[in-house]
Each structure stands twice: as structure tokens, then as C-alpha cells.
């Protein structure tokens, strides 16, 4: 699948350069043209299919959604639309095309979840000031390299004396592949590859290019068959070779690169040893060679660690399975989250349970409701929300159950049960643990999902992994560390480049390391990797093991945790990812339209057209609001909940010039149906903007 003239649908460039953009893939059937790097690095898509499905496991439907999503994002470099890649740094909103990101010196990590960092937040190698100010040859191109770490210059993490050009490393990685890419100075592989992947070097998971070339080493399989004696007596020539006869060519037992007919060399038996004249001139032949001085008197090749006939050592080869994106190994089958939640909703009974909640004390009053003896998560829930005591009943805005769960989840997210900025991990709160609040938080989250609440969207990748897998196998990342003191300790240890520095840092944090059980004996600088790994595992996972188990017990309510573990990909979208941007089609299909009886058929048709046109203009950015704000105006939610809305959102058109209003308690908007489109749009913008500025 290739087409050199078609432009990539994500970056808009027709270039076809494997080294720069990866393979250019064109699917005539689905009318798609994509660069491989643009595809795998896009922020809103992941590999949900098998390797033979779609394009390298990316489903065609997902690719089309990502292309449509990118069309609405403007590149922070070239200002054109189609910027599908976003910086993963918290609170950074930059988006860009892959080629623009490369030109702007962004870092793209071709591993794990394929993260991207913009030019302001990209990782930088830490080097001591004593190591800078010098220069040495790049050991790949042998041109001079100044010892100043930058985007274009990288230092080897292993031998501490190797400096490289980024372009040189990238070309070597593409040539050597994952199995042969290593430091050119000290031959280290694991530490070297980890650092280069972190700094954005793409290491393809395949054999080296020279091993993929067809018949590249074919000559090694050819046996030498020529008589090289000074006077060959074979009448059919030196190339003639007839097995089991005097004209069979035997080879030199030493070099194997010379031969002779048995008759020409006066050899009587086929298994008789023969040496060419060059090898005979060497005084010490293999049959007479003495024991090497490097082996002791009792050592032999067998017990010295080199087996007889063993090949020269090469790096152990990894699995040839391509690097996968999240959860493919545990995904049983693809199911949409709405189908899964609807299956969970089938447990809801007709019996009613009323939640009497005070708006000002939302968490405390909700906790009291959930702990009542008559509360059952499988009952149909009704909400009775009270405000300040002096407020009149008819002044209290009606609130739907979905909006209540939105407020409750926001309260849980910002509580001290969790830590982190945007995506949260569990914190260690002994008081909350004793009061069983982690269980209650998990139970509330499960109940909210099943009873129509919005998607939580705030769990970290690490916390989600702990819910799906055995937590002892989960590896936290640096972004999970919320405690500034622990983060400072980790960064200090990571920055150590000499054994004395590492020992000094270990001594400085001795009490903490000993208390947390992460203290290790330090033998070399490379031990810092294991030390940092243990500190992060303790702080993010082992330290909060009891809260985690309590939280998981709460999530088992109504069987939610079991579904998360059975369908991790579906739940990943609603627990750890921000909601997809709404489209005009989404809202058009979501809202049912009814009209006042006074409107005639033509007026009803025109009213529907007003609504559809307003949605399309909003999607195109031509109104003062967004589609998410429209949904919020009508329902109180910015996104469609996994379980859907109850009741279904609706639009009611009146015949008079009514000012647009919303009744969030029943997810209904009342709109004027007999205005011109210009006045309709103006009134909608005014009503919605006013409601957003001063919500009731």
C-alpha cells in the first residue's frame, strides 16, 4: 500500500521518506494515506485490533475518528489544521504535526504509550558541569562533538565518554534495529537503549538491516570446491569435484579457504587431515597448539564458560512481536463502553431509594446517604437536593441525578484521598483509611457510572494498571510522584554520574531509604536505576496498598471492577482519557425535538432547521459557544455519560418569541421556533453565555 503523490491525512505532507516519517501507507479501499509515525504518535488513537486488522492493529474506524479530530486542532508551529499530536506535559495545551514537531525539536518517545513532549517541556539529559567544555569525535561519524548536551547532541549513559550526534544515532538505530543497537564505545545495550528511547530515538523492533537483506551472507553457506595445489593433474580442471572418488576436493583443516583433489595432494582417505601451504608455514598448528596462558592448569574451554563449538556471543534476542499499545494482551474482545454499562444497568430494580443531599455539604451528606441501612446501589435512585435554609423552594434549581454525580465525582477528585495534578493516584491518608473512605469513594464511582453519572476521566495510567493487573507488576513513572521532597530525591539520584556522587546521595537520604525498605548496596553508578525504580514503586504503589485494596473493594459494587478487568480498553477511555470532542452530529442524534401544538408543519420543519444549522455553525466555530457548552446548558454535563442520559435530552420549540431556557432537572431546552436564523443564533448565544457566567 503506497502512493508517492498523495498527502498524509494527518500532517498534510506528501513526502515519502521512511527515515523521517516512517512507512507511507495508502489504503485505496478506505481512501486513507498516512505516515506511520504520524499514526502511532497521534494522541487520540491506540491499537485496539490484532496486527492483521486495519493498519497495523489500528482500526479503520478509529483512524477516521482521529483524522476528524485532528482537523479541528491547529498546529502551534505552522498554524495549519490537522495537528493530531499533543504535548503530554500537564497543563500544556500545545498540538502540532509530527514534521512540525521534529523541526521545532520536540521529543517523540517510540515506546510504551508513545508520548510526545513539546519544545518547552522535552526531557533534557543531566550532565555535570565538569563534563562540559570539551569535545571529542562522535564515534559513529567521527566528526567533532562539543560536550554540551542539547537536542542535537546526546551523551551515552553507560561509559560516560561517548557523545553522539542525534542524526547519527537515529540512522544507526534504524540500521541496527533493536537486537543490535548498542553503545559503540562500551557495547552496553540495555542502559544505552533505555536512555535513547527516552530521548526520542526510534529503535525499530526488528533484526539489523544487514540481516534482513536477502542472501546477504549466502557466500558463507558455499563450500570451497577448487583444487589449489601448484600442479593439478585432473584432466577436467581444478573446479571438478566428484564425491567418493580420487577427484573429490578436500579443504584445508585450518582455514577452509583452500582445497585440493585427493589425487593431487596424494591423500589416501577422505577423513585424512590436509593443510594448505600457507597454514603449514605457521609453526603452531591446531593439532600441536598448547593450552592458552589465560586458562589455569585445571581449566578447559568447557568449564571456562566457552562451550565447544559455541558461536561468538551476541545479544540475546527479544521476542519478535511488535511493540503494542495499551491492553492488547488482556483484551478479550472489543465492546463499546455504553453496551457494557447498559449491561450493568440491568441490575437496577424498580424499588426507589431517595438520596437527600445538601449542596453545601455534598461529600458529608452523600456519605451519610450511602451508609444508611436502606441504601442499595441496585435500587432506582432519586435525588432530593437541598440548598441554604433561607432559600425558597421555588428558587432552588432542579438538578438531575447525572449532574449530582458530576458534582460528587469532582468532590472526590479534589479530595485528599487522591494526589497529583491532572491525573490522580491514591494518597495515603490514615484517617480516611480508618474511616473506610477509600471504599466509599470506590463505591460512589461505581454507582455513578452505572446510574448515569459522567465519565470520571481523572485516574492516572498507573492507578488504572493497578486495577487491571497485579499491582506488584506495575511500574510507576516520574509523573506519578506528587510529593516534592520525594521527587527531589529521585531527581538527585538520577543526576548522579559518578559512584562517589551516588553514594553521597544515598547517604543523604539514608533515613528515608531505610525506613521505606528501598536502601541498596551501591556497587556502580548503574545501580541508581534500580534505586529510583524501588523508590517510585514504594511511594506510588506499596505505600498505598491498603487504600488501593479498599478502593478496589468499593469498585466491585454492581460488578464494575470485574468489567474493568474484563474490558480494560473500553474503561481506559472513560477513566483515564479526556472526553472526545463533541460533533454537531452527536448532539443532533442525542436531542429529541418536539414542538408546540400551535406550530404548523412548515414552522416545525423550519424550527428543526434552526437547531441543526446552529449546531453546525457551532462546530465550525461561528457561534459564541461550543457544543460542550450547549450540552452543559441543557443538562449540566459537558460530555455524554457512559450510561447515557435519563431522561433523554430534548428541545421543545414554542411558537412565541420565548427567551431560550433550560430545565436541567429533565434535560430539556425551551427555544423560540419562529425566529429568523440570525435572531435565533443571537438569542441562543446570549442565553447560553449568560447562564454560563452566572449559573443559577
Amino acid at each position: 500500500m503506497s502512493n508517492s503523490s498523495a498527502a498524509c491525512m494527518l500532517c498534510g505532507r506528501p513526502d515519502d521518506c521512511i527515515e523521517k516519517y516512517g512507512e507511507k501507507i495508502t489504503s485505496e479501499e478506505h481512501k486513507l494515506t498516512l505516515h506511520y509515525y504520524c499514526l502511532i504518535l497521534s494522541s487520540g488513537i491506540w491499537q485496539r485490533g490484532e496486527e492483521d486488522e486495519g493498519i497495523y492493529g489500528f482500526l479503520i474506524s478509529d483512524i477516521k475518528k482521529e483524522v476528524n479530530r485532528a482537523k479541528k486542532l491547529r498546529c502551534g508551529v505552522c498554524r495549519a489544521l490537522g495537528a493530531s499530536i499533543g504535548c503530554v506535559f500537564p497543563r500544556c495545551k500545545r498540538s502540532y504535526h509530527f514534521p512540525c514537531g521534529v523541526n521545532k525539536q520536540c521529543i517523540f518517545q517510540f515506546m510504551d504509550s508513545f508520548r510526545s513532549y513539546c519544545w518547552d517541556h522535552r526531557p533534557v539529559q543531566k550532565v555535570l558541569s565538569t563534563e562540559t567544555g570539551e569535545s571529542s569525535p562522535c564515534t559513529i561519524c567521527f566528526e567533532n562533538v562539543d560536550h554540551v548536551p542539547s537536542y542535537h547532541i546526546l551523551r551515552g549513559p553507560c561509559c560516560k565518554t561517548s557523545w553522539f550526534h542525534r542524526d547519527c544515532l537515529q540512522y544507526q538505530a534504524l540500521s541496527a534495529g533493536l537486537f543490535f543497537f548498542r553503545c559503540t564505545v562500551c557495547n552496553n545495550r540495555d542502559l544505552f537503549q533505555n536512555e535513547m528511547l527516552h530521548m526520542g530515538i526510534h529503535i525499530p523492533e526488528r533484526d539489523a538491516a544487514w540481516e534482513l537483506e536477502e542472501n546477504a551472507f549466502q557466500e558463507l553457506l558455499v563450500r570451497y570446491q577448487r583444487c589449489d595445489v601448484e600442479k593439478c593433474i585432473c584432466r577436467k580442471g581444478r573446479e571438478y569435484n566428484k564425491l567418493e572418488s580420487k577427484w573429490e576436493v578436500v579443504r584445508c583443516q585450518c582455514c577452509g579457504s583452500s582445497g585440493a583433489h585427493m589425487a593431487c595432494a596424494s591423500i589416501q582417505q577422505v577423513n585424512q587431515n590436509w593443510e594448505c601451504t600457507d597454514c603449514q608455514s605457521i609453526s603452531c598448528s591446531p593439532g600441536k597448539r598448547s593450552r592458552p596462558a589465560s586458562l589455569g592448569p585445571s581449566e578447559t574451554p568447557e568449564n571456562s564458560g566457552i562451550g565447544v563449538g559455541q558461536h561468538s556471543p551476541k545479544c540475546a534476542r527479544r521476542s519478535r512481536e511488535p511493540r503494542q499499545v495499551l491492553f492488547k494482551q488482556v483484551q478479550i474482545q472489543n465492546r463499546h463502553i455504553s453496551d457494557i454499562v447498559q449491561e450493568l444497568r440491568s441490575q437496577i430494580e424498580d424499588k426507589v431509594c431517595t438520596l437527600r443531599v445538601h449542596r453545601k455539604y455534598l461529600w458529608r451528606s452523600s456519605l451519610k446517604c450511602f451508609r444508611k441501612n436502606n441504601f442499595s446501589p441496585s435500587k432506582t435512585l432519586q435525588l432530593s437536593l437541598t440548598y441554604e435554609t433561607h432559600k425558597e423552594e421555588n428558587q432552588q434549581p432542579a438538578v438531575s441525578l447525572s449532574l449530582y454525580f458530576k458534582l460528587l465525582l469532582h468532590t472526590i477528585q479534589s479530595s485528599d484521598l487522591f494526589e497529583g495534578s491532572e491525573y490522580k493516584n491514591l494518597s495515603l491518608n490514615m484517617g480516611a483509611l480508618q474511616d473506610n473512605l477509600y471504599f466509599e469513594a470506590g463505591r460512589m464511582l461505581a454507582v455513578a457510572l452505572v446510574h448515569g453519572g459522567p465519565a470520571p476521566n481523572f485516574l492516572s495510567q498507573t492507578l488504572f494498571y493497578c486495577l487491571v493487573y497485579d499491582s506488584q507488576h506495575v511500574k510507576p513513572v516520574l509523573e506519578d510522584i506528587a510529593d516534592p521532597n520525594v521527587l527531589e530525591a529521585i531527581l538527585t539520584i538520577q543526576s548522579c554520574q559518578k559512584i562517589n556522587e551516588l553514594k553521597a546521595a544515598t547517604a543523604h537520604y539514608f533515613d528515608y531509604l531505610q525506613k521505606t525498605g528501598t536502601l541498596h548496596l551501591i556497587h556502580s553508578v548503574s545501580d541508581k536505576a534500580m534505586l529510583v525504580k524501588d523508590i517510585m514503586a514504594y511511594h506510588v504503589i506499596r505505600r498505598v496498598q491498603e487504600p488501593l485494596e479498599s478502593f478496589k473493594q468499593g469498585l466491585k459494587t454492581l460488578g464494575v471492577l470485574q468489567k474493568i478487568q474484563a474490558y480494560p480498553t473500553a474503561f481506559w477511555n472513560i477513566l483515564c482519557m479526556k472526553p472526545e470532542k463533541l460533533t454537531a452530529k452527536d448532539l443532533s442524534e442525542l436531542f429529541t425535538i418536539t414542538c408546540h401544538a400551535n406550530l404548523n408543519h412548515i414552522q416545525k420543519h423550519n424550527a428543526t432547521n434552526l437547531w441543526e444549522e446552529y449546531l453546525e455553525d457551532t462546530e465550525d466555530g461561528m457561534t459564541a459557544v461550543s457544543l460542550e457548552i450547549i450540552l452543559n446548558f441543557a443538562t449540566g454535563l459537558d460530555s455524554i455519560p457512559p450510561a447515557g442520559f435519563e431522561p433523554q435530552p430534548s428541545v421543545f420549540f414554542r411558537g412565541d418569541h420565548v427567551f431560550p431556557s433550560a430545565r436541567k432537572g429533565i434535560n430539556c431546552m425551551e427555544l423560540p421556533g419562529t425566529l429568523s436564523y440570525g435572531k435565533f443564533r443571537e438569542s441562543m448565544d446570549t442565553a447560553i453565555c449568560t447562564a454560563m457566567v452566572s449559573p443559577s
Side-chain angles (χ1 to χ4, degrees):
M1 298 186 292
S2 65
N3 188 333
S4 58
S5 61
C8 172
M9 299 180 72
L10 290 172
C11 73
R13 301 196 182 191
D15 308 57
D16 189 3
C17 179
I18 293 180
E19 289 78 10
K20 286 185 177 181
Y21 309 110
E23 179 187 359
K24 187 177 180 182
I25 310 158
T26 297
S27 173
E28 298 291 348
E29 178 184 357
H30 301 289
K31 298 181 180 179
L32 290 174
T33 299
L34 300 160
H35 290 128
Y36 180 60
Y37 292 173
C38 295
L39 175 62
I40 64 174
L41 290 165
S42 291
S43 302
I45 191 171
W46 60 99
Q47 192 181 34
R48 297 198 300 133
E50 300 295 334
E51 282 302 309
D52 56 351
E53 289 185 86
I55 298 177
Y56 296 117
F58 294 93
L59 302 182
I60 298 298
S61 59
D62 291 346
I63 295 174
K64 291 182 177 179
K65 286 182 181 179
E66 181 64 5
V67 171
N68 290 332
R69 185 187 74 88
K71 287 179 180 178
K72 304 167 188 174
L73 300 176
R74 195 169 297 278
C75 177
V77 181
C78 70
R79 307 307 301 168
L81 295 175
S84 64
I85 303 174
C87 177
V88 300
F89 193 83
R91 296 182 296 279
C92 181
K93 303 300 181 183
R94 286 195 179 106
S95 296
Y96 34 83
H97 304 103
F98 173 73
C100 295
V102 172
N103 294 336
K104 194 67 174 176
Q105 301 181 2
C106 299
I107 291 293
F108 303 95
Q109 295 179 341
F110 292 84
M111 60 178 181
D112 299 331
S113 55
F114 294 86
R115 299 182 174 193
S116 168
Y117 295 86
C118 72
W119 48 93
D120 284 338
H121 301 125
R122 68 188 183 211
V124 178
Q125 288 186 308
K126 297 185 181 298
V127 179
L128 298 177
S129 58
T130 55
E131 299 177 276
T132 60
E134 301 178 359
S135 62
S136 63
C138 167
T139 54
I140 298 176
C141 70
F142 296 107
E143 292 186 5
N144 219 35
V145 175
D146 293 329
H147 291 186
V148 180
S150 65
Y151 175 80
H152 295 290
I153 297 176
L154 299 175
R155 196 194 82 163
C158 37
C159 57
K160 309 299 187 293
T161 59
S162 53
W163 293 77
F164 308 89
H165 297 109
R166 172 181 288 272
D167 290 343
C168 294
L169 282 170
Q170 186 59 79
Y171 278 106
Q172 186 192 16
L174 292 174
S175 176
L178 184 66
F179 305 120
F180 292 97
F181 181 59
R182 55 187 68 196
C183 177
T184 56
V185 177
C186 68
N187 216 33
N188 180 281
R189 184 191 61 190
D190 294 336
L191 185 62
F192 185 76
Q193 286 190 5
N194 289 337
E195 176 72 3
M196 294 307 130
L197 284 169
H198 179 70
M199 295 307 298
I201 300 299
H202 179 214
I203 310 173
E205 193 161 339
R206 56 164 171 76
D207 267 334
W210 56 82
E211 289 205 353
L212 296 176
E213 183 181 346
E214 188 176 359
N215 298 327
F217 303 99
Q218 189 66 29
E219 65 275 8
L220 299 180
L221 305 177
V222 178
R223 302 182 68 185
Y224 193 84
Q225 295 185 125
R226 188 178 188 279
C227 180
D228 294 317
V229 298
E230 185 177 352
K231 186 176 181 180
C232 178
I233 60 176
C234 180
R235 294 183 178 180
K236 295 188 178 181
R238 292 181 179 271
E239 308 292 340
Y240 182 70
N241 178 37
K242 184 178 181 180
L243 299 178
E244 298 180 358
S245 71
K246 64 179 181 178
W247 303 119
E248 179 178 353
V249 175
V250 295
R251 283 150 293 282
C252 173
Q253 66 165 341
C254 297
C255 67
S257 59
S258 293
H261 290 123
M262 294 178 61
C264 299
S266 301
I267 299 174
Q268 302 300 321
Q269 299 177 357
V270 176
N271 57 1
Q272 183 178 338
N273 291 337
W274 175 78
E275 294 178 4
C276 64
T277 54
D278 291 336
C279 293
Q280 287 176 354
S281 63
I282 301 174
S283 57
C284 182
S285 66
K288 306 171 185 176
R289 190 169 292 131
S290 59
R291 189 183 309 278
S294 61
L295 295 178
S298 63
E299 290 181 291
T300 64
E302 290 81 3
N303 58 34
S304 67
I306 305 175
V308 177
Q310 183 175 327
H311 299 291
S312 59
K314 292 185 178 180
C315 59
R317 302 198 174 197
R318 303 184 188 181
S319 167
R320 291 178 179 267
E321 294 181 4
R323 187 180 290 112
Q324 302 298 312
V325 189
L326 304 173
F327 315 129
K328 182 183 171 186
Q329 63 273 31
V330 299
Q331 184 176 343
I332 301 172
Q333 55 178 316
N334 291 324
R335 291 188 63 188
H336 196 276
I337 186 63
S338 61
D339 296 334
I340 301 171
V341 176
Q342 287 300 326
E343 184 177 313
L344 291 171
R345 283 180 67 86
S346 64
Q347 306 171 73
I348 306 302
E349 305 169 356
D350 292 334
K351 294 181 180 179
V352 176
C353 177
T354 302
L355 301 176
R356 303 187 185 277
V357 181
H358 197 290
R359 177 66 183 88
K360 185 176 180 180
Y361 309 104
L362 189 71
W363 168 253
R364 192 189 311 168
S365 56
S366 296
L367 192 62
K368 184 178 179 180
C369 289
F370 273 68
R371 286 178 169 177
K372 284 185 175 180
N373 292 333
N374 64 344
F375 173 78
S376 172
S378 60
K379 291 182 179 179
T380 298
L381 300 182
Q382 285 186 350
L383 179 67
S384 174
L385 188 66
T386 59
Y387 290 77
E388 298 297 334
T389 55
H390 68 272
K391 202 167 189 180
E392 296 295 334
E393 183 71 24
N394 58 8
Q395 293 179 318
Q396 297 176 5
V399 174
S400 66
L401 195 63
S402 298
L403 180 54
Y404 160 68
F405 281 125
K406 173 188 175 181
L407 300 172
L408 180 60
L409 290 177
H410 179 73
T411 303
I412 294 173
Q413 178 182 356
S414 55
S415 72
D416 54 8
L417 300 177
F418 293 88
E419 61 183 20
S421 54
E422 185 176 9
Y423 295 100
K424 305 284 187 176
N425 287 297
L426 291 174
S427 65
L428 180 59
N429 185 321
M430 296 307 298
L433 185 62
Q434 293 173 2
D435 203 21
N436 209 24
L437 296 186
Y438 291 99
F439 169 83
E440 297 296 350
R443 183 161 68 143
M444 289 176 179
L445 194 151
V447 171
L449 280 176
V450 178
H451 284 268
N457 302 123
F458 66 84
L459 300 191
S460 73
Q461 172 180 301
T462 299
L463 178 54
F464 185 79
Y465 283 168
C466 289
L467 300 179
V468 177
Y469 304 104
D470 186 343
S471 61
Q472 66 178 342
H473 300 310
V474 177
K475 297 179 180 179
V477 294
L478 198 60
E479 289 80 0
D480 293 321
I481 307 299
D483 189 320
N485 295 324
V486 177
L487 181 61
E488 180 184 4
I490 292 174
L491 294 176
T492 300
I493 293 172
Q494 282 184 332
S495 66
C496 295
Q497 303 297 330
K498 296 181 180 179
I499 185 66
N500 291 338
E501 296 173 0
L502 183 57
K503 288 184 176 180
T506 305
H508 180 74
Y509 297 107
F510 179 83
D511 292 340
Y512 171 78
L513 297 176
Q514 187 179 47
K515 180 181 178 181
T516 58
T518 56
L519 186 64
H520 292 283
L521 289 175
I522 303 300
H523 300 289
S524 66
V525 180
S526 61
D527 291 336
K528 68 180 181 181
M530 182 59 69
L531 185 58
V532 167
K533 176 183 175 182
D534 281 357
I535 293 174
M536 290 197 297
Y538 166 78
H539 186 79
V540 181
I541 298 177
R542 295 201 303 271
R543 182 176 66 101
V544 297
Q545 198 61 41
E546 285 189 68
L548 175 62
E549 291 304 318
S550 182
F551 184 65
K552 290 171 70 174
Q553 287 299 318
L555 275 176
K556 288 182 178 179
T557 303
L558 296 172
V560 171
L561 180 62
Q562 292 84 341
K563 291 296 184 182
I564 293 175
Q565 294 170 344
Y567 306 100
T569 302
F571 280 91
W572 166 266
N573 296 336
I574 64 169
L575 297 180
C576 305
M577 300 286 288
K578 296 304 178 186
E580 290 187 8
K581 193 171 181 63
L582 292 173
T583 65
K585 182 180 178 182
D586 292 335
L587 291 195
S588 178
E589 294 176 350
L590 178 66
F591 282 83
T592 58
I593 298 177
T594 56
C595 298
H596 195 277
N598 291 339
L599 296 182
N600 58 41
H601 178 72
I602 296 177
Q603 289 174 324
K604 291 179 181 179
H605 178 74
N606 291 338
T608 302
N609 287 341
L610 289 176
W611 170 246
E612 297 287 349
E613 189 172 354
Y614 184 71
L615 292 180
E616 292 175 1
D617 282 354
T618 302
E619 183 176 23
D620 293 336
M622 298 171 62
T623 67
V625 297
S626 66
L627 294 172
E628 285 75 16
I629 292 178
I630 295 175
L631 183 63
N632 186 291
F633 175 71
T635 67
L637 300 188
D638 302 317
S639 60
I640 302 173
F645 285 101
E646 184 62 39
Q648 185 76 12
S650 61
V651 175
F652 179 68
F653 283 103
R654 299 176 63 93
D656 51 4
H657 290 188
V658 64
F659 191 67
S661 61
R663 298 165 64 189
K664 291 184 173 65
I666 59 173
N667 302 325
C668 178
M669 286 190 292
E670 290 190 2
L671 307 180
T674 56
L675 299 178
S676 65
Y677 177 69
K679 291 184 178 180
F680 177 82
R681 191 171 90 173
E682 181 181 354
S683 64
M684 287 291 290
D685 287 352
T686 302
I688 296 175
C689 289
T690 302
M692 292 300 105
V693 172
S694 55
S696 56

